[in-house]
Amino acid sequence: MEMQTKPKAKTDTDQMTGAEIVITALKEQGVEVMFGYPGGAVLPIYDALFTEPSIRHVLVRHEQGAGHAAEGYARSTGNAGVALVTSGPGATNMVTPITDAMMDSIPMVVLTGQVPTHLIGTDAFQECDTVGITRCCAKHNYLVTDVDELARTIHEAFLIATTGRPGPVVIDIPKDIQFATGTYVGKDGIHKATYKPQTDPDPQAIKRAVELMKHAKRPVFYTGGGVINSGPEASESLRKLQKLTGFPVTSTLMGLGAFPASHEDWLGMLGMHGSYEANNAMHDCDLMICVGARFDDRVTGRIDAFSPGSKKIHIDIDPSSINKVIRADVPVIADSGNALDAMIKAWGKAKPKDISDWKAQISGWRARNCFAYAESENEIKPQYAIERLYELTKDRETYISTEVGQHQMWAAQHYHFEEPNRWMTSGGLGTMGYGLPAAVGIQAAHKDALVIDIAGEASVQMVLQEVSTAVQHKLPIKVFILNNEWMGMVRQWQELLHGERYSHSYSESLPDFVKLAEAYGALGLVCDDPKELDGKIQEMIDYDGPVIFDCRVTKAENCLPMIPSGAAHNDMILSEITGDEIDEAGRKLV
Amino acid sequence: MSDNPASAYDMSHVEEDEERRTLAVIVDNEPGVLGRVVGLFSARGYNIESLTVAEVDRDRHRSRITIVTAGTAHTLEQIEAQLLRLVPVASVTDITRSKRGIERELALIKVAGEGEKRVEALRIAEIFRARVIDTTNKSFIFELTGASDKIDQFCALMDPLGLVEVSRTGVLSIKRGAEKG
């Protein structure tokens, strides 16, 4: 180890080691909790953390867990999540959460250790090209080669992670830089000349948008994760603007909670597994007001049949989202909250146009009751399980995370959110294994809240070891597994696309989840009887500690409604899969 | 179900003409910045026909990357927006669209031959105003500056006369007139 032994100027408080700079900068940024795993190349930082009372370090069991926990923390608080991992495998294990945070615009700062600068490029033990590997999956990244640049870099990383379109920023810190003594600088005045996100809307664009809104006969708000990212005030503004206009509202998976699900003008989620009324409203509207969403392929379905008769207002903080997939008639580049506030102001005291015909049409679609399912007295239907979970937890301070697959979509359909930041899910990347560590992160931020990971038995096994983290840190998360023994969404697609040839989608040799919970020191519960479900869910809620709940549900249930790949919004499968919904061209899509 | 399904993954039905564009990208000259730009092009499937880079403002650590690319109007709009999304990118100027662009390329061209071919190579070099910067009894190295097609043409003429090797800088560009950018 090469140690730079510049004498430490003891009288000068801004002189400190790189490791101390890291901790001081994190404190100045208001970091209270971080998630991490030590290793050779971050030991100096861990040493500085050892006696630091104001930062709580949650030791995970795998670096991927630290990343998703930081994401859950960020999404549920609005602050940047922080993860600290070592070089080499520590960094490569972070690649999935970094990509996940990039896709879902989650503010995160990842600190990775690196081998000492003189060993970089020598294939040293636990060396990898972290900045090279994360260049294309992070919003920005740094390799710090000068200890005097370290503090500025950390502050700049927080600025970039949390402003504009949020995202993950990686700081790779060689071990000799952690030992070296350098100058600490505070966060005030830190800026980057080339980084100037546009947050205030062009008044002319707002004027044009509001003009269209005043004359719309069949308007719809299509809102996304950008409203959540803008902060709770943006959700308030959305509600205000909706009240002024009376327009119906749908949202993407990432935007759930910005608008209250109990509201009469709430259409439910849109997209591939969205509601019939939301998708038909999108298809038939004459004005679409997209706020902080990006026309993802899971939302649009078939592009050339997407909402053919509408004018589109697209509010997005990221100019590259505008016109990327769908042409916007009125692009508004701005923070969604600022844009909504400007629209409220521009709307003024205008009286909304009578849109009762449009609402009557929507009521007709709603009457199809698209989320209905065949109930059962003997089996727990997965939809029923979510419904009961919702009923028994809705009056508490509850946060929901999910894994990825059928259970995720059922949760989005049947669990209802009144507030933003209560719903944490991997939308863009679709990361199985996200939900459990995300729940760890959420619980670390909200000590007394009820935090539930709605999981599938396949997804949950991907990052399962974080139950141990929850036990160690007394984070009483509830892992509610809809166990159908199948990779349910894979099975559903094989039924739909591959002639019911269920290639490798059935999980044999599943663990006994109750014994598994007990082995970790958590409580294990199992239920396969709908009549006992409420009691067992209550037992889960009442238990003061982590719980794994093995909820045995109907095995071959399909998640419906569904827009098959390559189909239009008004071409949904509602209640039964026949196998010929998707043609040759559609099969090639994902 | 329609005969012609499409989604974000299937935009092949949109047939648009591709245009060639020269972009001037001003970036903070920090480690890895070229990797970010090149990585963006490969990750999103954009073309790079030519790329040059050098520091142009030492005090502000700014480099100028000149990229020649081709794409539909939609793709070109996305390229600009995606480039601006990179944190160290200060500005992107579409030199072609400005219609005031000047493009130049520098090439070093090695030609080997004897007798009449050698004389002919020199004669053509004179016509193209190429400079001889190295010579042996059997070879010349020419230095030639000009638009890319001029260099292409010169190389084509040298080919039968003993063209050995070509080294080109790629396209540089700047806008006419007194203004910057």
Side-chain angles (χ1 to χ4, degrees):
Chain A
M1 184 60 44
E2 189 191 47
M3 286 206 251
Q4 293 184 15
T5 47
K6 253 190 264 176
K8 192 170 170 179
K10 295 223 190 297
T11 50
D12 200 350
T13 51
D14 61 4
Q15 290 296 303
M16 53 184 94
T17 68
E20 288 164 347
I21 287 175
V22 170
I23 302 302
T24 310
L26 293 180
K27 278 163 65 182
E28 191 179 346
Q29 288 291 340
V31 176
E32 291 168 359
V33 183
M34 64 197 290
F35 305 88
Y37 202 101
V42 277
L43 284 180
I45 298 174
Y46 270 91
D47 193 53
L49 200 58
F50 191 49
T51 50
E52 177 52 55
S54 67
I55 297 179
R56 182 173 168 211
H57 178 273
V58 176
L59 173 67
V60 295
R61 298 298 181 266
H62 182 290
E63 287 87 353
Q64 187 185 351
H68 293 317
E71 285 188 272
Y73 182 91
R75 193 72 173 171
S76 68
T77 61
N79 301 323
V82 179
L84 170 62
V85 297
T86 193
S87 63
T92 57
N93 282 340
M94 280 300 298
V95 170
T96 299
I98 292 167
T99 313
D100 193 90
M102 186 69 177
M103 290 286 267
D104 286 344
S105 307
I106 308 296
M108 178 159 81
V109 173
V110 177
L111 305 164
T112 55
Q114 181 55 277
V115 301
T117 43
H118 73 276
L119 289 179
I120 289 177
T122 65
D123 300 323
F125 178 64
Q126 293 193 330
E127 181 187 359
C128 74
D129 178 9
T130 301
V131 286
I133 290 169
T134 59
R135 191 172 287 143
C136 55
C137 61
K139 183 174 176 185
H140 197 49
N141 64 15
Y142 304 87
L143 170 66
V144 181
T145 54
D146 176 358
V147 66
D148 288 325
E149 284 294 308
L150 183 55
R152 192 195 57 77
T153 303
I154 294 170
H155 295 312
E156 191 177 287
F158 273 87
L159 176 80
I160 290 169
T162 55
T163 56
R165 181 176 177 177
V169 179
V170 179
I171 312 171
D172 199 26
I173 311 170
K175 194 170 182 180
D176 55 327
I177 302 295
Q178 299 170 32
F179 277 124
T181 300
T183 308
Y184 183 79
V185 293
K187 68 175 180 180
D188 291 342
I190 296 285
H191 73 290
K192 175 122 179 108
T194 56
Y195 178 74
K196 300 173 289 261
Q198 185 179 335
T199 53
D200 289 325
D202 170 10
Q204 286 306 316
I206 293 292
K207 209 173 142 194
R208 283 174 61 208
V210 170
E211 214 45 49
L212 286 175
M213 287 163 68
K214 283 179 181 168
H215 295 99
K217 295 194 183 82
R218 300 186 307 280
V220 65
F221 280 112
Y222 149 46
T223 69
V227 182
I228 311 281
N229 276 337
S230 181
E233 308 78 21
S235 294
E236 280 309 311
S237 300
L238 173 66
R239 292 162 196 220
K240 261 187 223 158
L241 184 61
Q242 193 280 333
K243 198 172 178 191
L244 288 173
T245 59
F247 295 173
V249 183
T250 180
S251 154
T252 66
L253 182 72
M254 297 309 294
L256 296 176
F259 193 74
S262 57
H263 197 287
E264 59 176 1
D265 288 317
W266 170 243
L267 299 173
M269 179 178 77
L270 83 165
M272 187 172 268
H273 293 288
S275 77
Y276 186 66
E277 51 269 34
N279 285 328
N280 273 294
M282 287 288 280
H283 189 268
D284 286 0
C285 66
D286 70 345
L287 180 67
M288 180 185 296
I289 307 135
C290 169
V291 190
R294 61 180 176 87
F295 297 93
D296 178 87
D297 59 85
R298 283 297 180 273
V299 159
T300 60
R302 188 178 149 187
I303 294 284
D304 62 0
F306 177 74
S307 193
S310 66
K311 294 259 187 213
K312 292 157 189 93
I313 299 165
H314 187 180
I315 300 166
D316 204 303
I317 201 163
D318 178 357
S320 76
S321 287
I322 308 272
N323 295 339
K324 183 172 72 177
V325 179
I326 297 292
R327 283 264 147 204
D329 297 284
V330 182
V332 181
I333 297 165
D335 172 85
S336 57
N338 293 356
L340 288 165
D341 289 343
M343 286 162 109
I344 290 168
K345 213 171 151 202
W347 183 274
K349 293 193 164 49
K351 268 188 77 118
K353 204 177 168 76
D354 177 21
I355 55 166
S356 53
D357 287 353
W358 175 232
K359 292 208 174 171
Q361 200 177 348
I362 289 170
S363 297
W365 290 321
R366 198 173 259 148
R368 292 290 294 266
N369 199 12
C370 67
F371 294 140
Y373 56 91
E375 291 172 33
S376 168
E377 282 189 12
N378 308 316
E379 288 185 330
I380 300 176
K381 287 298 191 116
Q383 302 94 329
Y384 177 76
I386 305 282
E387 274 177 16
R388 294 317 303 158
L389 188 69
Y390 171 65
E391 288 302 327
L392 294 166
T393 59
K394 66 179 179 182
D395 297 326
R396 294 165 172 270
E397 188 196 356
T398 307
Y399 292 79
I400 301 289
S401 70
T402 74
E403 311 291 335
V404 169
Q406 282 185 323
H407 68 273
Q408 177 191 29
M409 293 297 110
W410 280 318
Q413 292 172 344
H414 297 276
Y415 204 99
H416 307 295
F417 297 92
E418 301 295 311
E419 299 296 328
N421 305 100
R422 296 302 182 91
W423 163 249
M424 271 53 64
T425 195
S426 171
L429 194 63
T431 309
M432 293 172 72
Y434 165 90
L436 203 167
V440 167
I442 300 160
Q443 191 82 72
H446 308 275
K447 203 171 129 273
D448 300 321
L450 176 62
V451 180
I452 305 171
D453 168 29
I454 298 177
E457 84 293 333
S459 282
V460 79
Q461 291 188 82
M462 283 207 176
V463 194
L464 183 65
Q465 73 286 342
E466 300 308 329
V467 175
S468 178
T469 306
V471 172
Q472 179 188 342
H473 297 277
K474 299 192 168 48
L475 302 169
I477 61 166
K478 317 300 178 197
V479 183
F480 189 75
I481 303 171
L482 298 183
N483 183 352
N484 60 6
E485 300 177 13
W486 287 92
M487 289 157 220
M489 197 59 95
V490 172
R491 193 209 60 77
Q492 178 169 341
W493 279 58
Q494 287 172 333
E495 179 181 346
L496 198 60
L497 287 165
H498 296 282
E500 302 181 42
R501 289 189 303 284
Y502 299 119
S503 180
H504 301 279
S505 52
Y506 184 72
S507 305
E508 286 177 48
S509 310
L510 281 169
D512 178 332
F513 284 106
V514 172
K515 282 187 185 158
L516 190 65
E518 286 163 1
Y520 276 119
L523 174 67
L525 294 171
V526 61
C527 184
D528 60 3
D529 181 351
K531 289 180 281 300
E532 291 176 6
L533 184 60
D534 276 22
K536 289 277 173 70
I537 290 177
Q538 197 56 50
E539 194 181 344
M540 173 182 88
I541 295 167
D542 293 341
Y543 183 72
D544 185 19
V547 178
I548 297 179
F549 191 121
D550 182 2
C551 185
R552 304 274 176 87
V553 297
T554 307
K555 287 185 186 170
E557 189 77 3
N558 282 317
C559 184
L560 295 171
M562 175 179 187
I563 303 175
S565 328
H569 272 171
N570 59 350
D571 202 4
M572 293 190 86
I573 307 170
L574 277 169
S575 55
E576 206 183 328
I577 288 179
T578 56
D580 60 358
E581 285 84 357
I582 299 184
D583 63 8
E584 270 308 308
R587 289 161 66 102
K588 292 174 189 154
L589 309 174
V590 290
Chain B
M1 191 64 54
S2 152
D3 299 335
N4 181 27
S7 86
Y9 296 99
D10 178 19
M11 299 180 79
S12 51
H13 62 289
V14 186
E15 280 178 25
E16 284 178 65
D17 290 337
E18 291 213 338
E19 295 169 56
R20 185 175 173 279
R21 292 287 175 85
T22 304
L23 305 176
V25 186
I26 307 297
V27 298
D28 256 4
N29 187 16
E30 57 183 43
V33 66
L34 186 61
R36 283 180 213 285
V37 170
V38 173
L40 184 150
F41 274 71
S42 64
R44 294 187 184 267
Y46 306 144
N47 299 310
I48 297 182
E49 292 186 2
S50 159
L51 182 142
T52 68
V53 56
E55 190 169 74
V56 290
D57 184 340
R58 188 157 294 176
D59 295 339
R60 297 172 69 205
H61 299 287
R62 290 286 166 88
S63 288
R64 184 177 180 116
I65 302 177
T66 306
I67 301 174
V68 181
T69 184
T72 61
H74 173 254
T75 306
L76 292 163
E77 186 185 330
Q78 267 294 300
I79 290 174
E80 271 196 61
Q82 293 291 350
L83 281 168
L84 284 168
R85 218 176 149 206
L86 298 177
V87 171
V89 170
S91 68
V92 180
T93 309
D94 186 332
I95 302 280
T96 311
R97 201 172 48 193
S98 77
K99 304 219 187 293
R100 296 195 294 136
I102 298 177
E103 295 186 0
R104 286 292 181 271
E105 203 179 343
L106 185 145
L108 302 176
I109 299 141
K110 187 180 284 184
V111 180
E114 288 171 72
E116 191 51 38
K117 283 187 174 175
R118 188 171 158 82
V119 177
E120 182 62 12
L122 259 189
R123 198 174 303 147
I124 292 171
E126 215 165 282
I127 295 166
F128 277 78
R129 296 199 194 110
R131 288 172 54 205
V132 176
I133 55 171
D134 177 75
T135 183
T136 68
N137 290 337
K138 283 185 244 165
S139 68
F140 292 119
I141 295 172
F142 297 111
E143 176 193 317
L144 178 61
T145 309
S148 298
D149 56 353
K150 177 179 166 183
I151 294 169
D152 291 345
Q153 208 184 344
F154 183 77
C155 293
L157 289 168
M158 286 298 157
D159 198 34
L161 303 177
L163 183 71
V164 175
E165 192 178 2
V166 183
S167 176
R168 298 170 70 150
T169 57
V171 172
L172 297 175
S173 71
I174 203 157
K175 274 205 274 186
R176 292 176 194 274
E179 306 81 36
K180 190 176 179 180

